[in-house]
Amino acid sequence: CYADLGDYRRAIELHEESLAIFVDIGDRRGEAQSLGNLGNCYHSLGDYRRAIEHYERSLPIFREIGDRPGEAASLGNLGSCYRALGDYRRAIELHEESLAISRAIDDRPGEAASLMGLGNCYYALGDYRRAIERYDEALPIFREIEDRRGEAQSLNNLGNCYADLGDYRQAIEHYEASLAISRAIGDRPGEATTLMNLGSCYGQLGDYRRAIELYAACLEIVEAIAAAEGYATGAPETLWR
């Protein structure tokens, strides 16, 4: 898949072709899915306005045909776009709608994703306690469905909340748990992000030697990723939330 390979422009061309065919033959589900896929491509390119346009076109179709998972996914994707644009209140409304549907149809992965989206919004608003509540709700679901990456992200995000509340010991506990999972599943970007966050905590605690060790380990991974992908070296702060 071109989207999986990062060639979003080519993926957009193909999804546009499939969209035209689905419209022509009157396949509403295929039409909605193509619109969603186009939204995903534009989202990955950072073109959130174009992504919103496509998600908003797919949403009423999913509702029309009674596709509840598709409806929930469209709402969640819209929430992610509005969060990226800084409209956190609107994003929260959309994630809450998505969450309600996911719970109604017992979609546990969708429920966890909605809770993470809500946690990210509350974190961005500086409401760390509310963010912790949402991440704490998502964490056992990720464990239940054996989504190790989601589990690691939940733990990392909880660490971020505790760090911003000044509870560095609690933050370190969560980062260490996240780090162990990222290493176990071979998630190098996640490992780098958590190492950087750990370094920040130890720096705040005045343990600068440990902080330097962690930053150096993070940098080594970032440089390896950059070399493998042909990018210039940079900080990994955009890799996770």
Side-chain angles (χ1 to χ4, degrees):
C1 175
Y2 284 101
D4 291 336
L5 293 171
D7 190 349
Y8 301 113
R9 295 298 180 189
R10 179 58 179 149
I12 286 170
E13 292 175 4
L14 294 168
H15 287 312
E16 288 283 8
E17 288 181 38
S18 71
L19 175 61
I21 294 169
F22 286 128
V23 170
D24 187 55
I25 64 176
D27 184 336
R28 295 291 273 166
R29 188 181 305 278
E31 181 182 351
Q33 290 173 340
S34 293
L35 287 165
N37 289 334
L38 283 162
N40 292 342
C41 288
Y42 284 114
H43 186 283
S44 295
L45 289 169
D47 191 343
Y48 303 115
R49 296 293 182 190
R50 292 285 291 279
I52 286 170
E53 290 175 12
H54 288 83
Y55 293 140
E56 286 185 338
R57 289 172 61 192
S58 72
L59 181 58
I61 299 174
F62 282 127
R63 285 174 170 162
E64 172 194 321
I65 64 177
D67 186 333
R68 298 286 273 166
E71 181 183 357
S74 293
L75 288 164
N77 290 337
L78 281 165
S80 296
C81 288
Y82 279 105
R83 180 175 70 85
L85 291 170
D87 190 344
Y88 304 117
R89 297 301 178 188
R90 179 62 179 142
I92 287 170
E93 292 174 1
L94 291 159
H95 284 307
E96 288 286 7
E97 286 187 63
S98 178
L99 177 61
I101 294 171
S102 294
R103 284 177 168 164
I105 63 177
D106 196 28
D107 177 0
R108 297 293 272 168
E111 182 179 353
S114 295
L115 288 165
M116 288 290 282
L118 284 165
N120 292 344
C121 289
Y122 285 119
Y123 180 88
L125 288 168
D127 191 344
Y128 305 123
R129 295 297 180 189
R130 292 283 290 279
I132 287 170
E133 290 175 5
R134 297 298 181 263
Y135 294 140
D136 270 335
E137 287 184 77
L139 181 57
I141 299 175
F142 283 126
R143 287 173 173 159
E144 173 193 324
I145 63 178
E146 298 182 350
D147 183 338
R148 297 285 276 163
R149 191 180 303 275
E151 182 182 356
Q153 289 173 337
S154 297
L155 289 163
N156 179 78
N157 292 356
L158 281 163
N160 290 342
C161 291
Y162 285 113
D164 284 315
L165 287 169
D167 189 344
Y168 300 114
R169 295 299 179 187
Q170 184 81 293
I172 287 170
E173 287 181 19
H174 285 84
Y175 289 142
E176 290 285 5
S178 177
L179 180 62
I181 295 170
S182 292
R183 284 175 169 165
I185 64 176
D187 180 359
R188 298 287 274 168
E191 183 181 353
T193 299
T194 306
L195 286 166
M196 182 177 67
N197 291 337
L198 278 166
S200 178
C201 282
Y202 280 105
Q204 290 293 331
L205 291 170
D207 190 344
Y208 302 118
R209 293 196 182 279
R210 181 62 177 143
I212 289 169
E213 290 173 1
L214 291 159
Y215 285 137
C218 170
L219 181 59
E220 182 179 346
I221 294 171
V222 172
E223 289 178 337
I225 293 171
E229 298 183 356
Y231 299 132
T233 301
E237 61 263 42
T238 60
L239 297 174
W240 279 5
R241 186 207 42 73

